Amino acid sequence: MAVVENTLIVRSQSPLREAMHAFRQSWTGMLGIVILALIVIFTYIGPILYPVDPFDIVWAPMTPPGVAAVAPLGTDYLGRNILAGLIHGGSATLYVGIVAGIITITIGVLIGALAGFCRGAVDEILMRLTEFFQVVPALLFAMVLVALFTPTIYVIAFAIGFVSWPATARMARAEVLRIRELEYVNAARVVGARNRKIIWQVILPNAFAPLIGSATLTIGTAMLFEAALSFLGLGDPNVFSWGLMIGEGREYIFDSWWAVTFSGLMIFLAVLGFSLVGDGLNNAFDPKLRER
């Protein structure tokens, strides 16, 4: 007679799936997703529904919002449509933020991972290099790089990413130093895994949690950098962006507040969205914060 025993099967989720589930339960993270989704729709669907060239002069200069139907949000000091500028300028601002964020994460992770894994002389050299970049004001460094070359949107994105990596490098180094002595890393060494495989396939995937949150926060910071450079007159004059709108309208802020207020509000919302998503990801990937 066969005895059938009832067994309780416990299904364990992968850490990534658990983190994504925790992120979906985070109201701050989901609010950030909603904000960013609306901005993306406004930026990339808007030009199809409102095909107005932001460089065209459509009405009298510095017309307040609600006065002219052709420019519902008013015009700037040249008579250009503020609404068209907001719609078409978002893609350039998002491009700078995302590209600069990718450059920052790439450089920071490479330097931090090598410094933390190799230690010794390599760690000393890379950390002294990181400290050099940290003590130089990032905005000033970016201004010098943009001024040395033609201030195009591509140069601006590269300059912002090139000066913003030290914090990411230190974070990556700290994670690699923590993980490299764990048992599963030592087990990989015992079975003969090469250092390159240990770094890229064993250590870095497990250091993913804090770095993904840092990446989203870096995008928002890069967008603020772009606005600051444009405010100082170092923006790309041939590409409409929210930062360029602020930079060109700064001299007329008391006569036409709407020329800088609406673009500043869009930058604020975009940075807020990325910050909320970054906080939500940090909480989701950190088990200690997830339990709160």
Side-chain angles (χ1 to χ4, degrees):
M1 179 177 177
V3 178
V4 180
E5 296 182 356
N6 295 327
T7 60
L8 179 62
I9 300 176
V10 180
R11 295 182 178 180
S12 61
Q13 292 183 337
S14 66
L16 179 60
R17 183 172 298 179
E18 290 181 359
M20 289 297 97
H21 177 73
F23 179 76
R24 288 192 296 269
Q25 302 299 319
S26 170
W27 70 268
T28 55
M30 296 311 298
L31 177 60
I33 290 292
V34 171
I35 293 174
L36 292 179
L38 292 176
I39 290 176
V40 169
I41 293 173
F42 177 79
T43 299
Y44 292 98
I45 304 299
I48 301 175
L49 303 178
Y50 196 75
V52 178
D53 192 335
F55 287 101
D56 287 346
I57 297 175
V58 298
W59 203 257
M62 294 188 287
T63 301
V67 174
V70 70
L73 297 182
T75 60
D76 62 5
Y77 73 106
L78 290 177
R80 297 175 298 190
N81 194 336
I82 295 295
L83 178 58
L86 294 177
I87 293 175
H88 292 267
S91 57
T93 301
L94 292 175
Y95 170 84
V96 170
I98 294 173
V99 171
I102 293 174
I103 294 174
T104 298
I105 293 297
T106 301
I107 298 176
V109 169
L110 285 175
I111 292 180
L114 288 176
F117 185 81
C118 297
R119 298 194 296 187
V122 175
D123 186 20
E124 286 292 327
I125 294 173
L126 293 179
M127 284 301 98
R128 297 299 81 78
L129 177 65
T130 303
E131 290 175 358
F132 169 78
F133 275 84
Q134 272 192 314
V135 298
V136 178
L139 180 59
L140 179 62
F141 200 174
M143 290 171 58
V144 172
L145 291 177
V146 173
L148 288 176
F149 303 95
T150 304
T152 64
I153 201 73
Y154 310 106
V155 172
I156 293 172
F158 173 79
I160 294 173
F162 186 72
V163 303
S164 303
W165 59 266
T168 302
R170 286 193 173 278
M171 182 181 297
R173 175 180 177 270
E175 285 298 305
V176 172
L177 285 174
R178 180 183 65 86
I179 295 173
R180 74 185 303 274
E181 302 299 335
L182 296 181
E183 293 183 359
Y184 59 85
V185 178
N186 293 328
R189 293 194 187 97
V190 170
V191 298
R194 296 181 178 181
N195 288 338
R196 183 173 58 182
K197 183 177 182 179
I198 293 175
I199 293 176
W200 297 109
Q201 298 185 18
V202 180
I203 295 180
L204 283 183
N206 290 282
F208 175 76
L211 295 178
I212 188 63
S214 175
T216 55
L217 296 174
T218 300
I219 295 175
T221 303
M223 296 173 65
L224 292 177
F225 260 92
E226 188 271 335
L229 291 173
S230 298
F231 185 83
L232 297 173
L234 294 173
D236 188 347
N238 300 315
V239 177
F240 229 88
S241 69
W242 295 336
L244 182 67
M245 296 175 68
I246 294 177
E248 291 185 341
R250 68 185 186 278
E251 298 181 3
Y252 311 95
I253 188 171
F254 295 107
D255 298 319
S256 56
W257 56 267
W258 53 89
V260 297
T261 300
F262 292 121
S263 53
L265 180 61
M266 294 302 297
I267 293 176
F268 166 76
L269 291 175
V271 173
L272 176 64
F274 281 112
S275 297
L276 292 175
V277 171
D279 289 340
L281 289 173
N282 279 332
N283 295 338
F285 280 100
D286 192 331
K288 295 180 181 179
L289 296 177
R290 194 189 308 166
E291 293 174 358
R292 293 183 179 179

